[in-house]
PDB file of all heavy atoms in Angstrom:
ATOM      1  N   GLU P 280      22.297  -7.830   8.957  1.00 77.00           N
ATOM      2  CA  GLU P 280      22.007  -6.765   9.851  1.00 77.00           C
ATOM      3  C   GLU P 280      23.397  -6.089  10.195  1.00 77.00           C
ATOM      4  O   GLU P 280      24.425  -6.682  10.268  1.00 77.00           O
ATOM      5  CB  GLU P 280      21.501  -7.375  11.249  1.00 77.00           C
ATOM      6  CG  GLU P 280      20.201  -7.997  11.108  1.00 77.00           C
ATOM      7  CD  GLU P 280      19.727  -8.585  12.356  1.00 77.00           C
ATOM      8  OE1 GLU P 280      20.422  -8.545  13.399  1.00 77.00           O
ATOM      9  OE2 GLU P 280      18.526  -9.168  12.482  1.00 77.00           O
ATOM     10  N   LEU P 281      23.242  -4.812  10.454  1.00 86.00           N
ATOM     11  CA  LEU P 281      24.366  -4.036  10.785  1.00 86.00           C
ATOM     12  C   LEU P 281      24.684  -4.174  12.239  1.00 86.00           C
ATOM     13  O   LEU P 281      23.686  -4.541  13.004  1.00 86.00           O
ATOM     14  CB  LEU P 281      24.255  -2.526  10.496  1.00 86.00           C
ATOM     15  CG  LEU P 281      24.117  -2.125   9.063  1.00 86.00           C
ATOM     16  CD1 LEU P 281      23.931  -0.625   8.826  1.00 86.00           C
ATOM     17  CD2 LEU P 281      25.376  -2.632   8.289  1.00 86.00           C
ATOM     18  N   LYS P 282      25.987  -3.987  12.727  1.00 89.00           N
ATOM     19  CA  LYS P 282      26.300  -4.167  14.153  1.00 89.00           C
ATOM     20  C   LYS P 282      27.188  -2.946  14.540  1.00 89.00           C
ATOM     21  O   LYS P 282      27.578  -2.121  13.676  1.00 89.00           O
ATOM     22  CB  LYS P 282      27.154  -5.451  14.285  1.00 89.00           C
ATOM     23  CG  LYS P 282      26.372  -6.727  13.891  1.00 89.00           C
ATOM     24  CD  LYS P 282      27.359  -7.912  14.178  1.00 89.00           C
ATOM     25  CE  LYS P 282      26.622  -9.187  13.835  1.00 89.00           C
ATOM     26  NZ  LYS P 282      27.483 -10.452  14.043  1.00 89.00           N
ATOM     27  N   GLU P 283      27.226  -2.788  15.880  1.00 93.00           N
ATOM     28  CA  GLU P 283      28.116  -1.653  16.348  1.00 93.00           C
ATOM     29  C   GLU P 283      29.495  -1.933  15.814  1.00 93.00           C
ATOM     30  O   GLU P 283      30.040  -2.982  15.625  1.00 93.00           O
ATOM     31  CB  GLU P 283      28.122  -1.771  17.835  1.00 93.00           C
ATOM     32  CG  GLU P 283      28.841  -0.608  18.459  1.00 93.00           C
ATOM     33  CD  GLU P 283      28.667  -0.487  20.045  1.00 93.00           C
ATOM     34  OE1 GLU P 283      27.533  -0.574  20.412  1.00 93.00           O
ATOM     35  OE2 GLU P 283      29.731  -0.448  20.672  1.00 93.00           O
ATOM     36  N   VAL P 284      30.167  -0.751  15.481  1.00 93.00           N
ATOM     37  CA  VAL P 284      31.523  -0.811  15.055  1.00 93.00           C
ATOM     38  C   VAL P 284      32.427  -1.579  16.028  1.00 93.00           C
ATOM     39  O   VAL P 284      32.216  -1.487  17.248  1.00 93.00           O
ATOM     40  CB  VAL P 284      32.147   0.605  14.725  1.00 93.00           C
ATOM     41  CG1 VAL P 284      31.307   1.318  13.634  1.00 93.00           C
ATOM     42  CG2 VAL P 284      32.110   1.492  15.982  1.00 93.00           C
ATOM     43  N   GLY P 285      33.394  -2.204  15.505  1.00 90.00           N
ATOM     44  CA  GLY P 285      34.316  -3.025  16.429  1.00 90.00           C
ATOM     45  C   GLY P 285      33.731  -4.375  16.769  1.00 90.00           C
ATOM     46  O   GLY P 285      34.265  -5.181  17.464  1.00 90.00           O
ATOM     47  N   SER P 286      32.692  -4.800  15.951  1.00 86.00           N
ATOM     48  CA  SER P 286      32.062  -6.110  16.194  1.00 86.00           C
ATOM     49  C   SER P 286      32.884  -7.207  15.509  1.00 86.00           C
ATOM     50  O   SER P 286      32.619  -8.424  15.816  1.00 86.00           O
ATOM     51  CB  SER P 286      30.589  -6.178  15.815  1.00 86.00           C
ATOM     52  OG  SER P 286      29.889  -5.309  16.732  1.00 86.00           O
ATOM     53  N   PHE P 287      33.554  -6.809  14.443  1.00 80.00           N
ATOM     54  CA  PHE P 287      34.255  -7.868  13.667  1.00 80.00           C
ATOM     55  C   PHE P 287      35.738  -7.878  14.107  1.00 80.00           C
ATOM     56  O   PHE P 287      36.301  -6.911  14.616  1.00 80.00           O
ATOM     57  CB  PHE P 287      34.143  -7.544  12.233  1.00 80.00           C
ATOM     58  CG  PHE P 287      32.714  -7.666  11.662  1.00 80.00           C
ATOM     59  CD1 PHE P 287      31.832  -6.522  11.818  1.00 80.00           C
ATOM     60  CD2 PHE P 287      32.268  -8.800  11.176  1.00 80.00           C
ATOM     61  CE1 PHE P 287      30.619  -6.722  11.307  1.00 80.00           C
ATOM     62  CE2 PHE P 287      30.930  -9.004  10.722  1.00 80.00           C
ATOM     63  CZ  PHE P 287      30.079  -7.863  10.723  1.00 80.00           C
ATOM     64  N   LYS P 288      36.427  -9.066  13.829  1.00 77.00           N
ATOM     65  CA  LYS P 288      37.735  -9.058  14.350  1.00 77.00           C
ATOM     66  C   LYS P 288      38.623  -8.084  13.769  1.00 77.00           C
ATOM     67  O   LYS P 288      38.514  -7.550  12.625  1.00 77.00           O
ATOM     68  CB  LYS P 288      38.269 -10.540  13.873  1.00 77.00           C
ATOM     69  CG  LYS P 288      38.461 -10.777  12.393  1.00 77.00           C
ATOM     70  CD  LYS P 288      39.097 -12.181  12.129  1.00 77.00           C
ATOM     71  CE  LYS P 288      39.332 -12.357  10.638  1.00 77.00           C
ATOM     72  NZ  LYS P 288      39.762 -13.688  10.411  1.00 77.00           N
ATOM     73  N   PRO P 289      39.677  -7.672  14.538  1.00 82.00           N
ATOM     74  CA  PRO P 289      40.591  -6.549  14.050  1.00 82.00           C
ATOM     75  C   PRO P 289      41.637  -7.060  13.159  1.00 82.00           C
ATOM     76  O   PRO P 289      42.033  -8.176  13.072  1.00 82.00           O
ATOM     77  CB  PRO P 289      41.230  -6.086  15.467  1.00 82.00           C
ATOM     78  CG  PRO P 289      41.152  -7.346  16.233  1.00 82.00           C
ATOM     79  CD  PRO P 289      39.950  -8.098  15.860  1.00 82.00           C
ATOM     80  N   ASN P 290      42.121  -6.050  12.349  1.00 81.00           N
ATOM     81  CA  ASN P 290      43.284  -6.248  11.485  1.00 81.00           C
ATOM     82  C   ASN P 290      44.465  -5.471  12.129  1.00 81.00           C
ATOM     83  O   ASN P 290      44.375  -4.372  12.426  1.00 81.00           O
ATOM     84  CB  ASN P 290      42.896  -5.664  10.152  1.00 81.00           C
ATOM     85  CG  ASN P 290      44.085  -5.669   9.143  1.00 81.00           C
ATOM     86  OD1 ASN P 290      45.119  -5.050   9.449  1.00 81.00           O
ATOM     87  ND2 ASN P 290      43.931  -6.371   8.097  1.00 81.00           N
ATOM     88  N   GLY P 291      45.472  -6.280  12.273  1.00 80.00           N
ATOM     89  CA  GLY P 291      46.710  -5.701  12.838  1.00 80.00           C
ATOM     90  C   GLY P 291      47.720  -6.783  13.371  1.00 80.00           C
ATOM     91  O   GLY P 291      47.268  -7.664  13.961  1.00 80.00           O
ATOM     92  N   ARG P 292      49.018  -6.464  13.054  1.00 80.00           N
ATOM     93  CA  ARG P 292      50.018  -7.347  13.507  1.00 80.00           C
ATOM     94  C   ARG P 292      50.455  -6.943  14.911  1.00 80.00           C
ATOM     95  O   ARG P 292      50.045  -5.926  15.467  1.00 80.00           O
ATOM     96  CB  ARG P 292      51.115  -7.419  12.490  1.00 80.00           C
ATOM     97  CG  ARG P 292      50.738  -8.080  11.172  1.00 80.00           C
ATOM     98  CD  ARG P 292      51.942  -8.005  10.234  1.00 80.00           C
ATOM     99  NE  ARG P 292      51.572  -8.681   8.986  1.00 80.00           N
ATOM    100  CZ  ARG P 292      51.009  -8.001   7.943  1.00 80.00           C
ATOM    101  NH1 ARG P 292      50.758  -6.703   8.129  1.00 80.00           N
ATOM    102  NH2 ARG P 292      50.689  -8.563   6.845  1.00 80.00           N
ATOM    103  N   SER P 293      51.347  -7.733  15.569  1.00 79.00           N
ATOM    104  CA  SER P 293      51.867  -7.345  16.870  1.00 79.00           C
ATOM    105  C   SER P 293      52.519  -5.908  16.742  1.00 79.00           C
ATOM    106  O   SER P 293      53.317  -5.648  15.866  1.00 79.00           O
ATOM    107  CB  SER P 293      52.993  -8.425  17.278  1.00 79.00           C
ATOM    108  OG  SER P 293      53.566  -7.942  18.445  1.00 79.00           O
ATOM    109  N   GLY P 294      52.234  -5.133  17.713  1.00 80.00           N
ATOM    110  CA  GLY P 294      52.671  -3.752  17.776  1.00 80.00           C
ATOM    111  C   GLY P 294      51.882  -2.725  17.021  1.00 80.00           C
ATOM    112  O   GLY P 294      52.267  -1.542  17.077  1.00 80.00           O
ATOM    113  N   GLU P 295      50.921  -3.152  16.204  1.00 83.00           N
ATOM    114  CA  GLU P 295      50.130  -2.260  15.473  1.00 83.00           C
ATOM    115  C   GLU P 295      48.678  -1.964  16.183  1.00 83.00           C
ATOM    116  O   GLU P 295      48.173  -2.809  16.859  1.00 83.00           O
ATOM    117  CB  GLU P 295      49.806  -2.785  14.121  1.00 83.00           C
ATOM    118  CG  GLU P 295      51.030  -2.924  13.150  1.00 83.00           C
ATOM    119  CD  GLU P 295      50.691  -3.445  11.763  1.00 83.00           C
ATOM    120  OE1 GLU P 295      49.737  -4.285  11.727  1.00 83.00           O
ATOM    121  OE2 GLU P 295      51.298  -3.120  10.828  1.00 83.00           O
ATOM    122  N   GLU P 296      48.261  -0.672  16.080  1.00 86.00           N
ATOM    123  CA  GLU P 296      46.979  -0.410  16.528  1.00 86.00           C
ATOM    124  C   GLU P 296      45.947  -1.133  15.662  1.00 86.00           C
ATOM    125  O   GLU P 296      46.048  -1.050  14.453  1.00 86.00           O
ATOM    126  CB  GLU P 296      46.701   1.112  16.554  1.00 86.00           C
ATOM    127  CG  GLU P 296      47.518   1.860  17.540  1.00 86.00           C
ATOM    128  CD  GLU P 296      46.779   1.674  18.937  1.00 86.00           C
ATOM    129  OE1 GLU P 296      45.670   1.440  19.062  1.00 86.00           O
ATOM    130  OE2 GLU P 296      47.574   1.782  19.944  1.00 86.00           O
ATOM    131  N   PRO P 297      44.959  -1.839  16.186  1.00 88.00           N
ATOM    132  CA  PRO P 297      43.948  -2.616  15.332  1.00 88.00           C
ATOM    133  C   PRO P 297      43.067  -1.631  14.558  1.00 88.00           C
ATOM    134  O   PRO P 297      42.649  -0.597  15.015  1.00 88.00           O
ATOM    135  CB  PRO P 297      43.153  -3.418  16.386  1.00 88.00           C
ATOM    136  CG  PRO P 297      43.358  -2.636  17.639  1.00 88.00           C
ATOM    137  CD  PRO P 297      44.727  -2.019  17.630  1.00 88.00           C
ATOM    138  N   ILE P 298      42.632  -2.142  13.429  1.00 91.00           N
ATOM    139  CA  ILE P 298      41.611  -1.492  12.503  1.00 91.00           C
ATOM    140  C   ILE P 298      40.519  -2.519  12.590  1.00 91.00           C
ATOM    141  O   ILE P 298      40.704  -3.733  12.215  1.00 91.00           O
ATOM    142  CB  ILE P 298      42.161  -1.179  11.171  1.00 91.00           C
ATOM    143  CG1 ILE P 298      43.385  -0.338  11.235  1.00 91.00           C
ATOM    144  CG2 ILE P 298      41.035  -0.563  10.325  1.00 91.00           C
ATOM    145  CD1 ILE P 298      44.030  -0.158   9.846  1.00 91.00           C
ATOM    146  N   TYR P 299      39.187  -2.031  12.670  1.00 90.00           N
ATOM    147  CA  TYR P 299      38.128  -2.948  12.737  1.00 90.00           C
ATOM    148  C   TYR P 299      37.130  -2.896  11.492  1.00 90.00           C
ATOM    149  O   TYR P 299      37.030  -1.842  10.901  1.00 90.00           O
ATOM    150  CB  TYR P 299      37.300  -2.677  13.968  1.00 90.00           C
ATOM    151  CG  TYR P 299      38.049  -3.066  15.320  1.00 90.00           C
ATOM    152  CD1 TYR P 299      38.904  -2.262  15.878  1.00 90.00           C
ATOM    153  CD2 TYR P 299      37.778  -4.278  15.862  1.00 90.00           C
ATOM    154  CE1 TYR P 299      39.510  -2.591  17.048  1.00 90.00           C
ATOM    155  CE2 TYR P 299      38.390  -4.667  17.014  1.00 90.00           C
ATOM    156  CZ  TYR P 299      39.252  -3.869  17.610  1.00 90.00           C
ATOM    157  OH  TYR P 299      39.977  -4.204  18.807  1.00 90.00           O
ATOM    158  N   ASP P 300      36.473  -3.948  11.317  1.00 88.00           N
ATOM    159  CA  ASP P 300      35.359  -4.060  10.394  1.00 88.00           C
ATOM    160  C   ASP P 300      35.765  -3.855   8.933  1.00 88.00           C
ATOM    161  O   ASP P 300      34.831  -3.379   8.134  1.00 88.00           O
ATOM    162  CB  ASP P 300      34.217  -3.061  10.801  1.00 88.00           C
ATOM    163  CG  ASP P 300      33.865  -3.219  12.252  1.00 88.00           C
ATOM    164  OD1 ASP P 300      33.889  -4.296  12.760  1.00 88.00           O
ATOM    165  OD2 ASP P 300      33.621  -2.134  12.917  1.00 88.00           O
ATOM    166  N   LEU P 301      36.991  -4.130   8.560  1.00 85.00           N
ATOM    167  CA  LEU P 301      37.343  -3.911   7.198  1.00 85.00           C
ATOM    168  C   LEU P 301      36.566  -4.756   6.257  1.00 85.00           C
ATOM    169  O   LEU P 301      36.432  -4.563   5.084  1.00 85.00           O
ATOM    170  CB  LEU P 301      38.870  -4.054   7.060  1.00 85.00           C
ATOM    171  CG  LEU P 301      39.726  -2.928   7.540  1.00 85.00           C
ATOM    172  CD1 LEU P 301      41.167  -3.369   7.670  1.00 85.00           C
ATOM    173  CD2 LEU P 301      39.647  -1.678   6.670  1.00 85.00           C
ATOM    174  N   GLY P 302      36.260  -6.004   6.722  1.00 77.00           N
ATOM    175  CA  GLY P 302      35.611  -6.972   5.886  1.00 77.00           C
ATOM    176  C   GLY P 302      34.168  -7.176   6.293  1.00 77.00           C
ATOM    177  O   GLY P 302      33.492  -8.030   5.752  1.00 77.00           O
ATOM    178  N   GLY P 303      33.712  -6.447   7.325  1.00 75.00           N
ATOM    179  CA  GLY P 303      32.310  -6.639   7.755  1.00 75.00           C
ATOM    180  C   GLY P 303      31.508  -5.354   7.836  1.00 75.00           C
ATOM    181  O   GLY P 303      32.081  -4.170   7.672  1.00 75.00           O
ATOM    182  N   ASN P 304      30.364  -5.412   8.343  1.00 83.00           N
ATOM    183  CA  ASN P 304      29.475  -4.326   8.470  1.00 83.00           C
ATOM    184  C   ASN P 304      29.153  -3.707   7.132  1.00 83.00           C
ATOM    185  O   ASN P 304      28.814  -4.413   6.207  1.00 83.00           O
ATOM    186  CB  ASN P 304      29.914  -3.279   9.432  1.00 83.00           C
ATOM    187  CG  ASN P 304      29.072  -3.281  10.817  1.00 83.00           C
ATOM    188  OD1 ASN P 304      28.076  -3.997  10.903  1.00 83.00           O
ATOM    189  ND2 ASN P 304      29.662  -2.616  11.750  1.00 83.00           N
TER     190      ASN P 304
END
């Protein structure tokens, strides 16, 4: 099932803006 964007853990190190759902949805 698809989910709302932002449902999967973010990608990003300290000081970086997170990117979401690279491995999901």
Side-chain angles (χ1 to χ4, degrees):
E280 297 180 358
L281 294 180
K282 300 182 179 181
E283 182 169 311
V284 297
S286 293
F287 296 86
K288 68 181 182 181
N290 174 295
R292 298 180 177 84
S293 177
E295 291 181 330
E296 287 284 335
I298 303 172
Y299 290 85
D300 309 324
L301 288 166
N304 253 350

